[in-house]
Structure formats: structure tokens, C-alpha cells
Amino acid sequence: MAKRATLTIQTNEIYTKYAGGYNGRYLFYFGGAGSGKSIDGYQRRLMQIITQSDGRHKFLYIRKVANTINDSIWKGTEQILKDWGLYSLCKFNKVEKSIVYEPNGNEIIMKGLDDPEKIKSIAGITGILIEEATELTKADFIQLDLRLRGITKYPKQIFVLFNPIDEDHWLWEMVEPQLKGQNKMPKSVQNVTYLQDNVWEFDTVSEDGDTLKTRTINTNYKHNRFLDAAYIARLKSLASLSENDAIVYEHGRWGRMQKGLSYVYTFSEIKHVKNVEFRHDLPVHYTVDFNVSPYMSGLIMQFEYIQDGFWNGHSDYWQVNVIDEVALEHPHNNALDLGAEVEKRYNLDMGLFLYGDASGNNRTQIKDVPSVFAHLLDGLSVNPIKRIPRSNPRYAKIAPNSLGRAKFINFLFSGLLPLRLRISPKCSNFIKDLKYCVQGVNGRMDKKVRDGHHLDAFTYLVCHEDTFAYLALTNKK
């Protein structure tokens, strides 16, 4: 009985509240370093192995590479059994990487996916734990999911742990499909519910009506009550060396895998992405790009001039808020719907300013529609103030003796100019443009890596002579 008294999961409140008692198919823990997600996952699976004696358990623990198992999930599991005083009650096979809890025969087997075919021969699995899931391919995950079948006494679960190293990773849609926006989520994803800001769940419904539940817990070091001050200081020190590392390992949010030289290298997700609200006392500025694939793009913005304020050494400056984005996919990727969308979402009583790609002045193939912009205007019931250039801003010089387009955008995001930029988290495609667009030949944007349609739309507005083009003059730096 003395040993049983020590069987307490030593964990953090968020995991106790939202992982304890959860019986859905998928449970994802993702977040930063030191968040306590691995130790909680190991303890919960071991508690099942030890206490659920009336139903045979055979848990499969997975890493992508087999030789990484020993220093991670094997040692972590061993240590918990020692702490609980149960090490002597287990049979360990260090070659096959298996642990049997002898009082009831429940078993843990640990495998690498170096050879996925070996996994297909394992039968009778009642649960799966995946450590460092970003190492796996989507095909790996599907094969593991297919191993978990048959009738068992306890719910069959896949427990997944990872750091969100890359926003383009296939795991993104599995754990946070709501970031795509309500109208872009797969139809199979239903009933997205936030249990608190960083905990949510949803159902995945098949064509036959079968439902599987997913719960996601997104944490960082602040959720871990066991961390000492020295570890936290070290984490912050390391994160300060890289914005991407700060986002992933300190804040526990999605990072990016850079594939070239950043086009907007002064953009900072931490500094520039903020919750911003629509203001009914300001006009709307709508800037658009007419490329139809993968979507037709628009940014909805508001701005005002702040006098006698204080920001980044500037007392007088422009406050520019990117409120929302429009990304219309087929069959709505047309100029008419692009115009209608801004009016559908926001009150335009204070006025609308319209900006965009100069190519929109060209004629269309639509009868009685003289230009793409004319088609957009047909979607509006208000008359906007049109700020449409005759030609798009140049990469080399926006105006005589001025900065070029790429340099100017980077100056705007640097904070050196009297213009403060804030971007709503709702603008996911625009944020991806800022993070992933790279320089190509002669400093131009490399469209083969990422098209950057929302970044183009942003450029048409900020480089317009009636907005902020004057800031691009070299003597205004």
C-alpha cells in the first residue's frame, strides 16, 4: 500500500484539467521548451499501464529514428518508475525496447519508424504515444493511426507531443484547423470549441457520419510550475538570439523554416502581430491583388495620424492597423465578389478608399465590364475614393530619389520611420507572406517560393503617393 500511495501524477494544472479524463481519439500536446508536456504524457500512460489491470494494454511509443529512443522516452519512463518505487515490478528488454509491468502483464513497446514496415506487424495495440511528432511524415502518422483498431475495454487514443517548428508542417491542420478561418476549414471538421484560450477541441466527421474527437493543449514554460529561475533565464537567453526560436521555444507558437533570404527581414511576429479592433469612427482602406490562384486577395486596413504620442522614439507617427484579410478561393475568386466581401464584413459609413494592382485597369473578357476594377466596383453599393496607380511601384525606386519597394517595406517594419504597423492574427495568409516570401534576382520577390499576393496588396497601399510614399524619400529616413 505504501507504494500505491506514491502513484500521483506530478504535473501542472492545465494538463490535470484538460488531459485527465479525456477519452477522445487524439490528444495533442504542442508548445515550447520546458512546458512539461513530455513528463505529463509519460506519467499518464504509465498510470494506465499500472492501474488498468482489467483490460490488457499494449502501448506503442514512437520516435522517427530508433537510436533516439534511449535518451528520450526510454530514460524518461525508467525514471518515473523509479520515482514511483515500481522499477522492480517491471521486466525491461533494452534490446527490443519493451517494458512489461509484471503484476498485470500490461506492456509498453518503443519503436522507431526507420523501417515503417516493421510497425505493420505489431498487433493488439491499445494506445500510441508519439514523441517529437514533427519528425514524422503524414504517411507515417496515417500508418500508425491504422494500427489502432479493434474492440478494447478502454478508449483507443493517440497521444502526440511536439514543438511547433514550422507553420507549413502537416501537423498544423491536424491540431489547429480553425486558423484557416471558418469558411476554409475542411467540411469534415466540425464543432470547434475553445475550452480556454490555449485549449480547444473539435470533431472530425466522416462521410458515413462517424465522429472522432481531437483535443489540443498548447503550452509554454509559463504553464510549468516545476521550473527553476535558472532554467527560465537560460531559455529566455537562448530565445533572444533568434526571433524564430523565441516564437517556438519560448512562446510555444508556430515557427517557420526559412528557405531563402527573407524579403521582409524586419518583420517580427512578436512585435507586429497584435489583436486590433475595427473602429467605426475611421474610414476603411481596402487594397487588393487580382491573381486568382490560389485565391484573390485583399487587405482591410485603417489608420490615423497620432500627434504628441510616444512610440519607438516618435512623438508624431502613423498608426496603421491591418484589420482583416480576404482570400477568396474558387468559385468566388473574382473581382465582383472581392468588392462585395469588404462591404459584407464591415460598416463603410465613414468612407472607403480603394487601392490595388494597376493591371486591374485593363479590360476584361466580360461583356459591358470595361476593367477588372470596374467589375470590383459592381460588387459595392458605395462609391469608394479610388487610389489606383497607372503603374505599380518599382522595385528600384518608388519615386525620384526614393527608396525602392523592398527597402521601403523593410524600413516600415523596422520602426525607424514614423509609422507603427499592427497586424491582426486573423490575417494568416498575409502573415505567412511576411514570414516566407524570399528575395529573388536583384532583390525582387521570388514568386516560385511563395506568390505573396497579400504582401503585394499591402505594397500597393503603402507605396501610393496619397498615403506613405513620401516616407520612401531617402531624406526622410
Side-chain angles (χ1 to χ4, degrees):
M1 294 297 294
K3 287 181 178 177
R4 275 299 178 93
T6 65
L7 290 185
T8 303
I9 296 178
Q10 298 292 318
T11 189
N12 296 288
E13 179 182 356
I14 190 168
Y15 302 122
T16 300
K17 186 173 182 180
Y18 294 109
Y22 172 72
N23 293 321
R25 175 79 169 189
Y26 308 103
L27 181 59
F28 288 92
Y29 282 5
F30 84 93
S35 59
K37 53 189 181 293
S38 292
I39 190 69
D40 183 86
Y42 301 165
Q43 288 185 88
R44 290 191 188 280
R45 301 289 74 77
L46 278 175
M47 186 64 78
Q48 288 182 272
I49 288 287
I50 293 160
T51 62
Q52 294 179 349
S53 301
D54 53 343
R56 179 67 186 274
H57 274 306
K58 188 176 186 178
F59 286 156
L60 174 62
Y61 284 17
I62 287 290
R63 284 289 303 265
K64 178 66 173 179
V65 180
N67 63 18
T68 62
I69 289 173
N70 192 57
D71 291 329
S72 55
I73 48 180
W74 179 269
K75 285 188 176 179
T77 302
E78 253 189 339
Q79 188 58 54
I80 295 168
L81 289 168
K82 290 175 181 177
D83 293 342
W84 285 353
L86 300 176
Y87 190 84
S88 63
L89 298 180
C90 297
K91 180 180 179 181
F92 296 88
N93 185 327
K94 293 189 177 182
V95 176
E96 295 296 328
K97 290 293 183 292
S98 66
I99 302 172
V100 176
Y101 184 63
E102 294 190 305
N104 60 23
N106 285 338
E107 181 181 9
I108 296 172
I109 53 177
M110 302 182 185
K111 297 290 184 182
L113 283 177
D114 310 65
D115 184 0
E117 291 301 314
K118 291 182 180 180
I119 302 299
K120 296 180 181 180
S121 65
I122 301 174
I125 298 169
T126 59
I128 298 174
L129 181 146
I130 305 172
E131 179 68 282
E132 302 293 353
T134 49
E135 298 172 345
L136 275 62
T137 66
K138 191 172 184 179
D140 290 334
F141 186 88
I142 291 171
Q143 281 302 317
L144 290 171
D145 204 352
L146 294 174
R147 298 306 100 203
L148 202 58
R149 57 181 183 261
I151 299 173
T152 55
K153 179 178 177 61
Y154 297 103
K156 297 181 290 296
Q157 291 184 304
I158 301 180
F159 198 95
V160 187
L161 309 106
F162 67 97
N163 300 117
I165 59 171
D166 185 7
E167 193 173 44
D168 276 349
H169 199 278
W170 60 268
L171 278 165
W172 184 79
E173 282 197 25
M174 287 207 67
V175 301
E176 212 163 359
Q178 67 272 26
L179 280 186
K180 293 178 73 67
Q182 191 65 38
N183 296 326
K184 300 177 190 175
M185 285 193 301
K187 291 181 180 179
S188 58
V189 175
Q190 300 178 14
N191 305 320
V192 177
T193 304
Y194 279 86
L195 306 179
Q196 66 177 51
D197 286 347
N198 58 327
V199 182
W200 57 89
E201 62 184 23
F202 55 87
D203 296 328
T204 304
V205 182
S206 72
E207 293 182 358
D208 296 328
D210 297 322
T211 300
L212 296 173
K213 186 169 289 294
T214 296
R215 180 174 291 182
T216 299
I217 304 175
N218 178 210
T219 51
N220 57 44
Y221 74 95
K222 295 178 182 178
H223 296 97
N224 191 349
R225 62 189 173 97
F226 299 104
L227 290 184
D228 58 84
Y231 179 91
I232 294 172
R234 181 61 175 159
L235 173 63
K236 287 179 170 290
S237 175
L238 292 172
S240 69
L241 301 176
S242 162
E243 159 115 5
N244 194 61
D245 287 348
I247 291 169
V248 176
Y249 298 109
E250 182 181 353
H251 297 275
R253 293 300 299 163
W254 294 98
R256 55 175 168 167
M257 302 294 287
Q258 189 60 46
K259 300 177 177 67
L261 297 175
S262 294
Y263 186 77
V264 190
Y265 50 85
T266 55
F267 168 72
S268 164
E269 193 164 2
I270 294 171
K271 293 178 182 178
H272 295 115
V273 178
K274 305 290 182 183
N275 289 319
V276 292
E277 299 294 332
F278 178 78
R279 286 182 50 175
H280 292 273
D281 61 333
L282 293 175
V284 170
H285 295 260
Y286 190 37
T287 180
V288 298
D289 185 76
F290 293 117
N291 285 284
V292 298
S293 178
Y295 40 68
M296 192 167 277
S297 312
L299 290 176
I300 298 167
M301 301 167 65
Q302 291 183 306
F303 42 87
E304 63 176 323
Y305 192 64
I306 306 294
Q307 292 181 293
D308 299 322
F310 183 79
W311 168 75
N312 209 31
H314 304 291
S315 58
D316 299 346
Y317 58 92
W318 286 98
Q319 173 79 34
V320 176
N321 292 335
V322 186
I323 304 291
D324 202 354
E325 69 174 27
V326 176
L328 298 183
E329 298 176 338
H330 180 78
H332 301 291
N333 55 340
N334 59 79
L336 183 73
D337 285 342
L338 190 64
E341 191 67 24
V342 64
E343 193 167 9
K344 185 187 304 180
R345 297 189 193 185
Y346 294 99
N347 187 323
L348 305 180
D349 288 348
M350 298 304 295
L352 175 67
F353 292 83
L354 179 63
Y355 311 76
D357 187 346
S359 67
N361 293 315
N362 298 334
R363 292 196 61 84
T364 72
Q365 302 299 315
I366 304 172
K367 185 179 179 181
D368 299 326
V369 178
S371 71
V372 181
F373 270 114
H375 199 208
L376 184 149
L377 294 172
D378 287 341
L380 289 166
S381 63
V382 300
N383 292 317
I385 297 173
K386 295 185 285 294
R387 290 178 171 174
I388 314 302
R390 292 181 179 178
S391 61
N392 291 329
R394 295 182 179 275
Y395 276 94
K397 292 181 180 179
I398 295 171
N401 301 314
S402 75
L403 294 168
R405 190 194 309 186
K407 288 183 178 179
F408 179 49
I409 298 299
N410 277 290
F411 266 102
L412 290 182
F413 279 96
S414 72
L416 296 173
L417 299 175
L419 186 147
R420 184 185 186 188
L421 278 164
R422 301 193 305 174
I423 303 166
S424 168
K426 293 190 292 185
C427 302
S428 59
N429 288 293
F430 180 42
I431 293 168
K432 283 186 177 182
D433 284 354
L434 292 167
K435 291 169 68 173
Y436 295 123
C437 285
V438 301
Q439 295 179 13
V441 178
N442 299 325
R444 293 171 178 264
M445 192 189 303
D446 187 346
K447 299 282 187 173
K448 293 180 180 178
V449 175
R450 183 172 177 86
D451 287 329
H453 298 321
H454 284 92
L455 181 52
D456 279 341
F458 176 79
T459 301
Y460 303 142
L461 185 148
V462 297
C463 294
H464 195 277
E465 60 184 9
D466 291 327
T467 58
F468 308 115
Y470 75 95
L471 292 173
L473 298 175
T474 54
N475 62 1
K476 293 288 185 179
K477 287 191 292 181

